[in-house]
């Protein structure tokens, strides 16, 4: 479940188990163990995790269920009170899952706030065309709504040498692109007095394949960083901005230390410095104390922004956070209504972005067939557009091609190889 870091770690868990002679099955009835790598970013995530585990036990009463990830870290012993959960494994301990299962322990969750060292777990999965590389874990911010720092611990960075070795290994295995993931990658190197820009300079001096960045806080996108990236031949012009709100009053209550007017100018600057960059973002709808006026300000600012897409979700109470005790919690209906309004803005922004790209030529990695009946191939452009190609040529998969976007239909892009 959850973020790209969790997806990366889930793949490592799977790989470790397979290397230890476990067999994976898609059928719950055949399985001895059911493992859930959980997410706890919202209450909905928690509820979904409990439903998934309860359902697995219902389908196969003899199965052993194991929960790891962020819920396991924050809830610990409480989880074992549920008769549909057999094992609980912490966020850092998940990398030792084979040893854990061999000892038949019930629970192993250490205090992650005491963890100082980044866990340099390696993923060798060569079935994908774009590699994910986790470069950072944890978060030192204390946003009033967020439980994740308590589930992930303090910010910890992978050594640059390790990162470069992994990228070069990916290239040898045929990958054409690497995606840098983490809980807060903009804090990479913070504990050593370094910045994400220092890392990217090292990466470009020592590697060749293109790279893509995960989510960044507006305060971490400096003019120096933008100048460097705008001149790069390896950087994919794809930004994901962790904005959370487009109203200054709400940002202050969220404990976010920037202003809307500043990041709107930053978005304009990015659009002017790069050729058709994709700018995604996160927005929380219906935060505690968000008035109608606050929301209208957010809507107005999002509409006039140069964003390409907006990932939005309703605010969810997280126990143990500052926002839990604030006054002014909104009803679920109001939060859902506001989420839907922002989703409509996002859909319009995406349509506008795709139409700007109509007729343009891009470097794209051809990933896989999307539908065997139609024979369409799916590819990903450097500026994060999924393009469908009408081709049945299997030899094109995992190759970099120049493609021209020739049609936009139902918010989907269709292209042809140049």
């Amino acid at each position: 479940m959850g973020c790209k870091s969790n997806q990366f770690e889930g793949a490592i868990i799977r790989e470790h188990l397979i290397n230890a002679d476990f067999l994976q099955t898609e059928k719950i009835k055949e399985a001895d163990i059911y493992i859930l790598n959980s997410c706890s970013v919202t209450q909905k995530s928690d509820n979904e995790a409990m439903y998934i585990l309860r359902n697995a036990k219902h389908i196969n009463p003899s199965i052993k269920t194991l929960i790891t990830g962020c819920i396991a870290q924050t809830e610990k012993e409480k989880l074992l009170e549920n008769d549909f959960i057999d094992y609980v494994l912490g966020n850092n301990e998940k990398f030792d899952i084979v040893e854990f299962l061999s000892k038949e322990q019930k629970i192993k969750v250490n205090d992650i706030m005491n963890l100082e060292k980044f866990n340099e777990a390696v993923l060798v999965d060569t079935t994908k065309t774009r590699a994910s590389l986790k470069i950072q874990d944890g978060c030192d911010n204390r946003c009033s709504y967020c439980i994740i720092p308590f589930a992930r611990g303090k910010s910890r960075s992978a050594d640059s040498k390790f990162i470069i070795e992994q990228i070069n290994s990916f290239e040898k295995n045929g990958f054409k692109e690497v995606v840098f993931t983490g809980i807060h990658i903009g804090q990479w190197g913070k504990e050593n007095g370094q910045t994400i820009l220092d890392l990217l300079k090292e990466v470009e001096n020592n590697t060749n394949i293109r790279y893509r960045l995960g989510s960044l806080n507006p305060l971490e996108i400096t003019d120096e960083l933008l100048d460097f990236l705008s001149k790069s031949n390896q950087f994919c012009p794809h930004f994901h901005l962790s904005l959370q709100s487009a109203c200054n009053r709400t940002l202050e209550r969220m404990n976010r230390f920037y202003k809307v007017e500043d990041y709107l100018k930053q978005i304009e600057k990015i659009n002017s410095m790069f050729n058709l960059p994709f700018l995604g973002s996160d927005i929380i709808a219906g935060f505690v104390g968000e008035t109608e006026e606050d929301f209208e300000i957010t809507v107005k600012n999002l509409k006039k922004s140069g964003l390409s897409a907006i990932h939005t979700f309703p605010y969810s109470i997280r126990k143990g956070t500052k926002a839990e005790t604030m006054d002014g919690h909104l009803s679920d209906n109001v939060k859902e209504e506001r989420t839907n309004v922002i989703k409509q803005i996002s859909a319009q922004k995406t349509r506008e972005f795709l139409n700007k790209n109509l007729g343009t030529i891009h470097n794209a990695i051809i990933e896989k067939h999307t539908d065997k009946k139609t024979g369409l191939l799916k590819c990903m452009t450097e500026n994060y557009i999924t393009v469908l190609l009408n081709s049945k040529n299997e030899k094109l998969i995992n190759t970099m091609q120049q493609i021209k976007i020739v049609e936009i239909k139902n918010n989907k892009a269709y292209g042809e190889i140049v």
Side-chain angles (χ1 to χ4, degrees):
M1 300 175 67
C3 65
K4 287 182 179 179
S5 286
N6 237 25
Q7 303 303 319
F8 174 82
E9 292 163 0
I12 288 176
I13 291 171
R14 183 183 302 112
E15 202 166 80
H16 284 181
L17 289 167
I18 290 171
N19 289 341
D21 294 329
F22 284 78
L23 298 176
Q24 184 177 2
T25 175
E26 297 299 322
K27 296 179 181 179
I28 293 175
K29 284 187 176 180
E30 293 179 352
D32 301 299
I33 306 168
Y34 188 98
I35 300 163
L36 181 66
N37 191 24
S38 67
C39 169
S40 190
V41 72
T42 64
Q43 184 62 46
K44 184 179 178 182
S45 304
D46 286 9
N47 294 342
E48 186 180 351
M50 295 302 103
Y51 171 80
I52 288 170
L53 291 168
R54 189 183 292 110
N55 187 57
K57 205 77 162 179
H58 175 72
I59 294 171
N60 182 353
S62 65
I63 204 169
K64 296 294 184 182
T65 60
L66 183 153
I67 184 169
T68 184
C70 290
I71 299 176
Q73 191 65 47
T74 56
E75 296 297 327
K76 300 184 180 81
E77 290 89 353
K78 187 178 177 183
L79 290 169
L80 288 177
E81 295 173 8
N82 298 291
D83 58 7
F84 52 87
I85 297 177
D86 296 296
Y87 305 110
V88 180
L89 193 58
N91 243 334
N92 196 57
E93 291 73 35
K94 67 173 74 165
F95 301 111
D96 301 317
I97 191 166
V98 174
E99 182 187 356
F100 175 77
L101 290 172
S102 69
K103 293 181 179 178
E104 295 190 358
Q105 296 171 257
K106 281 284 185 184
I107 181 171
K108 187 176 182 183
V109 183
N110 294 327
D111 186 352
I112 204 162
M113 300 307 289
N114 291 329
L115 201 61
E116 303 283 347
K117 196 170 183 291
F118 179 83
N119 196 322
E120 294 183 345
V122 177
L123 178 63
V124 194
D125 181 7
T126 56
T127 61
K128 306 273 178 70
T129 52
R130 296 187 299 137
S132 289
L133 178 58
K134 189 176 169 190
I135 64 169
Q136 182 274 346
D137 206 342
C139 182
D140 291 339
N141 289 3
R142 291 296 180 268
C143 301
S144 61
Y145 54 83
C146 188
I147 195 66
I148 299 306
F150 304 100
R152 288 282 181 172
K154 294 179 286 191
S155 181
R156 310 177 299 284
S157 308
D159 185 76
S160 59
K161 182 181 178 184
F162 168 81
I163 293 170
I164 289 164
E165 285 174 353
Q166 292 307 302
I167 296 171
N168 288 327
S169 174
F170 287 142
E171 186 180 15
K172 287 177 185 176
N173 280 295
F175 289 98
K176 308 293 188 295
E177 178 184 308
V178 61
V179 183
F180 295 146
T181 69
I183 300 304
H184 193 149
I185 67 167
Q187 291 184 345
W188 181 91
K190 179 184 173 185
E191 66 269 43
N192 301 316
Q194 295 178 289
T195 67
I196 188 75
L197 177 56
D198 295 324
L199 172 63
L200 298 182
K201 286 178 178 178
E202 277 197 69
V203 166
E204 295 211 8
N205 284 333
N206 295 281
T207 69
N208 298 304
I209 62 175
R210 75 185 195 183
Y211 62 85
R212 203 176 292 273
L213 298 175
S215 181
L216 291 169
N217 184 306
L219 294 173
E220 294 152 2
I221 305 174
T222 63
D223 288 346
E224 190 182 3
L225 177 64
L226 288 178
D227 183 61
F228 174 81
L229 294 176
S230 68
K231 297 171 183 174
S232 169
N233 293 319
Q234 290 175 249
F235 171 67
C236 294
H238 167 201
F239 294 84
H240 191 91
L241 310 176
S242 179
L243 304 181
Q244 309 309 345
S245 176
C247 170
N248 284 334
R249 180 177 173 272
T250 304
L251 285 172
E252 186 177 352
R253 289 167 64 81
M254 287 178 164
N255 213 23
R256 308 284 289 183
F257 300 103
Y258 47 81
K259 300 287 186 183
V260 177
E261 50 268 29
D262 293 332
Y263 75 60
L264 288 177
K265 288 178 184 175
Q266 188 178 70
I267 290 170
E268 286 181 22
K269 186 169 187 176
I270 292 171
N271 276 317
S272 68
M273 291 179 71
F274 297 82
N275 181 31
L276 294 172
F278 182 94
L279 285 97
S281 62
D282 294 313
I283 295 289
I284 297 173
F287 185 64
V288 190
E290 183 185 70
T291 64
E292 282 287 349
E293 183 182 359
D294 294 336
F295 182 63
E296 287 305 316
I297 290 170
T298 283
V299 167
K300 180 182 175 183
N301 284 326
L302 290 178
K303 283 182 175 179
K304 73 179 183 181
S305 74
L307 293 169
S308 313
I310 304 162
H311 172 59
T312 186
F313 48 93
Y315 165 72
S316 178
I317 298 173
R318 301 281 70 202
K319 290 181 181 179
T321 62
K322 183 179 178 182
E324 180 194 7
T325 61
M326 288 181 176
D327 295 327
H329 286 272
L330 306 180
S331 70
D332 289 344
N333 286 341
V334 169
K335 289 188 282 188
E336 204 61 47
E337 285 172 7
R338 293 181 182 181
T339 301
N340 290 334
V341 170
I342 297 173
K343 283 180 179 178
Q344 290 171 11
I345 297 171
S346 178
Q348 179 62 30
K349 291 286 181 187
T350 300
R351 279 192 293 272
E352 292 170 358
F353 177 70
L354 290 176
N355 285 325
K356 284 179 185 176
N357 281 269
L358 185 61
T360 58
I361 295 173
H362 299 270
N363 291 317
I365 298 173
I366 299 180
E367 297 186 323
K368 60 183 177 182
H369 282 291
T370 58
D371 188 334
K372 289 182 180 178
K373 290 182 180 178
T374 63
L376 292 176
L377 287 172
K378 182 180 115 175
C379 64
M380 178 69 73
T381 67
E382 74 280 9
N383 64 338
Y384 203 55
I385 300 174
T386 298
V387 182
L388 301 177
L389 301 176
N390 191 12
S391 173
K392 296 181 179 180
N393 188 351
E394 295 276 350
K395 292 180 181 178
L396 289 173
I397 294 175
N398 198 27
T399 66
M400 184 89 75
Q401 301 288 337
Q402 278 208 314
I403 63 103
K404 183 178 182 179
I405 297 176
V406 296
E407 184 182 12
I408 306 296
K409 186 177 179 182
N410 298 325
N411 259 17
K412 289 184 178 180
Y414 295 82
E416 60 187 21
I417 295 175
V418 178

